[in-house]
Amino acid sequence: MSYPIHLQPSSNSRLADYDFNQIKFGQNPTDHLFSAAYRDGSWQDATVAPFQEFLISPLALCLHYGQNVFEGMKAFRLIDDEINIFRPEKHLKRLNRSLERMCMPEIPQELFIAALEQLIGIDHGWVSEIPGNSLYLRPLVFASEARLGVHEAAEYRFMIMAMPIANYYNGSVRVKVETSYTRAAEGGAGFAKQGGNYGPALLPTRLARQQGFDQVLWTDAKTHTFIEESGTMNVMFVIDDRLITPPLTDTILDGVNRDAVLMLAREQGIPVEERAIAYSELEAAFQQNKEVEAFGIGTAAVFTPIREIDILGKSYFPVNGEETLGKRLSTELNDIRSGRSSDRFGWNHIVQVREKTEIAST
Ligand SMILES: *Cc1c(COP(=O)(O)O)cnc(C)c1O
């Protein structure tokens, strides 16, 4: 099936006034928004139109019972000036897994890719060529049916918004191993990128911040002994030259960057262990004065070194710097998606841009 996308170009671009050296993430969308409606069992009314507010009924189900699912992905300016969307098929797979868990309709691949291509095609000027900058893409699906009562909605909206994002490489974080609050339990929906996973994380994070930490390092719901993830990042450790990361279960987000880093490590012959890792194992390694690396990996910040881990009130300090394995692998990942090294895994999806004259004639 094909999905015609109606293009309604903005006559009022904000691009000329936007300062790419002062990016404040999350507040300044590009000129356009993609949107489609699900009704009578199918996606329709696909449009790329000027970004603007929209009306929603107070009875809309997403406002009450949490049927909302999202993605976070990026488009990059390649060194030859083309534009690349990083692994859109992989993101779509996860989006559809999240949607399935929340009883929401799947997004067909043709629609997802066409929507991204059209939106980025028209807003291509927003993909900054400043190294490290990129265009953040936020697909969002929510229940729009206006009919109170806990039930599967019959109507949904699918939107994609885009906004510039800066290079955050230099931020390292202090984390606290969380042993009382829980992010996700077995059998729940922790693996889904659904709104309900994030609200309950705010209070434990606020409490950790009050103690001087940036984030909590979640542990499993049952025993609070095994490390899961942190904020919106998957976590990895290097102990005895082995790259160790918790395995994918239904309580952990299946990160696209996690997957990419593991593929790069395996390509280089680095031993990779996807297995449960208890905080006591980290504690033991630190106590034996081993060099331990710890870092978070995810779309928003890409690579975030962890400079301090608090385990039950005791501080431990992972090694940091340019020579660490985590730093090297994340540089390699950035080199691929900016076109500085070969795209040997087929991760880069090149977008055709639309020039003003073409837009005018559609
Ligand atoms: C999005 C997200 C991640 C990272 O996934 P990426 O696909 O690499 O961006 C990790 N954990 C949580 C909870 C997330 O929401």
Side-chain angles (χ1 to χ4, degrees), residues 70-73 91 94 183 190 192-193 197-198 229-234 252-259 297-300:
F70 64 97
E71 267 303 314
M73 45 199 293
H91 281 281
R94 183 174 67 194
R183 190 190 90 93
K193 232 172 164 72
N197 285 330
Y198 301 85
E229 57 179 318
S230 183
T232 53
M233 306 183 296
N234 293 109
I252 288 181
L253 231 288
D254 179 359
V256 176
N257 292 274
R258 173 190 181 280
D259 181 71
I297 196 94
T299 296

Side-chain angles (χ1 to χ4, degrees), residues 46-99:
T47 313
V48 169
F51 187 100
Q52 61 184 1
E53 275 115 48
F54 60 91
L55 289 173
I56 192 164
S57 168
L59 299 173
L61 291 169
C62 63
L63 299 175
H64 301 267
Y65 311 117
Q67 265 185 311
N68 54 65
V69 156
F70 64 97
E71 267 303 314
M73 45 199 293
K74 279 180 173 175
F76 298 82
R77 177 78 62 181
L78 298 177
I79 50 172
D80 67 2
D81 210 36
E82 283 187 306
I83 293 173
N84 153 39
I85 313 175
F86 184 65
R87 304 188 77 179
E89 292 87 3
K90 182 91 178 156
H91 281 281
L92 175 63
K93 238 177 156 175
R94 183 174 67 194
L95 177 63
N96 281 334
R97 259 188 90 208
S98 301
L99 289 169

Side-chain angles (χ1 to χ4, degrees), residues 41-271:
S42 72
W43 288 105
Q44 40 201 288
D45 303 340
T47 313
V48 169
F51 187 100
Q52 61 184 1
E53 275 115 48
F54 60 91
L55 289 173
I56 192 164
S57 168
L59 299 173
L61 291 169
C62 63
L63 299 175
H64 301 267
Y65 311 117
Q67 265 185 311
N68 54 65
V69 156
F70 64 97
E71 267 303 314
M73 45 199 293
K74 279 180 173 175
F76 298 82
R77 177 78 62 181
L78 298 177
I79 50 172
D80 67 2
D81 210 36
E82 283 187 306
I83 293 173
N84 153 39
I85 313 175
F86 184 65
R87 304 188 77 179
E89 292 87 3
K90 182 91 178 156
H91 281 281
L92 175 63
K93 238 177 156 175
R94 183 174 67 194
L95 177 63
N96 281 334
R97 259 188 90 208
S98 301
L99 289 169
E100 184 189 21
R101 179 65 179 81
M102 301 301 287
C103 282
M104 297 165 72
E106 247 188 44
I107 306 291
Q109 176 151 327
E110 306 80 72
L111 176 61
F112 189 70
I113 300 294
L116 288 166
E117 287 182 341
Q118 295 289 325
L119 178 64
I120 297 168
I122 197 166
D123 279 341
H124 63 90
W126 291 85
V127 189
S128 165
E129 69 284 337
I130 298 173
N133 282 1
S134 54
L135 188 69
Y136 185 81
L137 299 159
R138 167 52 59 86
L140 171 71
V141 187
F142 57 90
S144 55
E145 189 192 3
R147 181 167 65 103
L148 224 53
V150 179
H151 56 85
E152 294 174 34
E155 292 174 9
Y156 298 85
R157 296 289 291 277
F158 165 36
M159 293 181 171
I160 304 177
M161 54 209 96
M163 63 207 77
I165 183 166
N167 162 5
Y168 289 115
Y169 303 140
N170 300 323
S172 63
V173 292
R174 305 173 62 207
V175 299
K176 176 196 157 191
V177 172
E178 178 60 62
T179 51
S180 31
Y181 288 101
T182 295
R183 190 190 90 93
E186 250 174 68
F191 66 87
K193 232 172 164 72
Q194 56 99 6
N197 285 330
Y198 301 85
L202 294 174
L203 179 63
T205 306
R206 177 203 278 178
L207 296 174
R209 291 216 166 122
Q210 285 169 355
Q211 297 172 9
F213 302 101
D214 301 296
Q215 281 292 345
V216 300
L217 198 49
W218 297 108
T219 51
D220 68 290
K222 224 182 245 169
T223 66
H224 285 300
T225 53
F226 295 101
I227 305 284
E228 299 226 303
E229 57 179 318
S230 183
T232 53
M233 306 183 296
N234 293 109
V235 291
M236 298 189 178
F237 303 93
V238 180
I239 306 174
D240 295 330
D241 301 316
R242 315 179 82 77
L243 183 62
I244 307 167
T245 194
L248 295 177
T249 61
D250 55 3
T251 62
I252 288 181
L253 231 288
D254 179 359
V256 176
N257 292 274
R258 173 190 181 280
D259 181 71
V261 165
L262 296 183
M263 282 171 82
L264 286 168
R266 287 183 171 122
E267 181 194 38
Q268 296 176 21
I270 293 155

Side-chain angles (χ1 to χ4, degrees), residues 237-239 282 285-286 290-294 309 317-320:
F237 303 93
V238 180
I239 306 174
L282 291 177
F286 283 115
K290 286 187 179 172
E291 288 210 339
V292 175
E293 274 182 48
I309 303 178
F317 302 93
V319 292
N320 248 300

